[in-house]
Amino acid sequence: MKNENLYNYILGIADNSLILGQRMGELCGHGPTLETDIACTNISLDLFGQVRSYFQYASKIAGDGRTEDDIAMLRKEREYINVLLVEQPNTDFAYTMARQFLFDVYHLAFLVELQKSADLTLSAIASKSIKEVSYHERFSSDWVKRLGDGTEESNTKMQEAIDALWTYTDELFHQTEADKAMVAEGIGVDVTKLKDSYYRHVSELLEEATLQVPESKYFQKGGKEGIHTEHLGYMLAELQYMQRTYPNMEW
C-alpha cells in the first residue's frame, strides 16, 4: 500500500471512536434516567459518525476494494489499534463517565491540533467533530463533578473508577511508527505535546470534584500495537456478529 503510514494513522484515530462508540451504545435502554440514557446513546452516534468519515477516507487510501464496513467489521482482534482505555467495560455508571471523561479531555485537545493537519480531509473531519466532542467533554466532566461532589457513596464509586482507569491514560500519549511518520510530514498530531496540559486539566477537575488524583506511576499499554485486554474480544464478537454470520450483507 502506497500510503500505509497514513492508513494506519487513520485507523489509530478511528478505532478509538469505534470502540468507545460501541461501549456507549451498550447503554441504550440502560441509563440511570431517560435523559441520560438518550445523551449516552447520542454520544455513541456522534462517535460512529466520526468513524464513518475516517473509514471512508481509509477505504479510499487502501484502494483495494475494501469498504468502510469491511474495515470496521472484518478485522481480527490484533488488527484493532485503539487504546486500552476505551475498551474497558461499563462496570457501573461511575466507571462509564470516568472512562468517557478521561478520553474526552484527550480527544478534544487532539482534534484542536488535528485541524491544523496538512491533510485537508483529516483537518475537515476534525473541524466537523470538535463541536460534538466539546459537548461530550462537558457532559462527562459534569457527571464526574456531580458524582464526586455528591453523596459519600457516589464519591466512593467515582474515586474507585478513576483509580482503576488511571493506569490506561498514559498510553494516549505513546507514538506508533505511523504516528511519528505522520508528524514528520505535518499530517499527524504530536500527542506527546498534549500530555502535560491533559494531566493538568484532569487534575484540576478532579480536585474540583473533591476527588483524589491517583499517585500511581504504573501504566498499561499495548492497545496501539494490537495487544488488548480480554474485554475487546467479547465486544468484537457482538460488534461483528451480523457481518460474520451473513458475509457481504448490505443494508
Side-chain angles (χ1 to χ4, degrees), residues 27-184:
L27 292 173
C28 184
H30 299 281
T33 65
L34 181 59
E35 181 180 7
T36 305
D37 187 301
I38 294 171
C40 290
T41 305
N42 282 334
I43 288 173
S44 174
L45 291 173
D46 287 342
L47 291 170
F48 277 117
Q50 295 165 22
V51 170
R52 287 201 64 194
S53 296
Y54 287 124
F55 282 165
Q56 285 168 359
Y57 187 32
S59 173
K60 181 179 178 181
I61 292 169
D64 56 7
R66 276 180 290 177
T67 66
E68 58 179 292
D69 288 336
D70 294 334
I71 297 172
M73 304 292 184
L74 299 182
R75 283 179 287 154
K76 297 177 182 177
E77 181 179 337
R78 292 292 294 270
E79 295 173 325
Y80 287 82
I81 49 178
N82 56 279
V83 294
L84 299 177
L85 175 65
V86 297
E87 67 194 47
Q88 300 310 303
N90 299 322
T91 303
D92 58 32
F93 189 65
Y95 267 75
T96 301
M97 288 299 101
R99 183 193 61 216
Q100 189 70 34
F101 166 67
L102 292 172
F103 181 74
D104 286 342
V105 175
Y106 163 80
H107 196 192
L108 183 57
F110 176 85
L111 291 175
V112 168
E113 294 303 314
L114 190 62
Q115 287 185 111
K116 306 171 187 175
S117 174
D119 186 299
L120 297 182
T121 301
L122 288 180
S123 176
I125 295 172
S127 297
K128 182 177 182 294
S129 303
I130 276 182
K131 185 176 180 180
E132 296 170 341
V133 176
S134 295
Y135 165 74
H136 301 173
E137 195 266 345
R138 190 165 63 250
F139 177 81
S140 60
S141 296
D142 286 347
W143 270 108
V144 170
K145 288 187 284 189
R146 289 175 68 180
L147 295 176
D149 197 20
T151 65
E152 181 179 349
E153 181 180 5
S154 69
N155 175 276
T156 298
K157 286 184 176 294
M158 181 53 73
Q159 187 67 63
E160 289 175 351
I162 292 293
D163 290 346
L165 296 168
W166 194 258
T167 187
Y168 302 111
T169 56
D170 189 65
E171 187 186 15
L172 294 166
F173 309 102
H174 287 199
Q175 289 184 310
T176 64
E177 291 306 312
D179 292 341
K180 294 174 183 177
M182 291 300 96
V183 170

Side-chain angles (χ1 to χ4, degrees), residues 21-22 93 211 235 250:
Q22 179 71 7
F93 189 65
L211 296 164
M235 180 194 289
E250 296 180 1

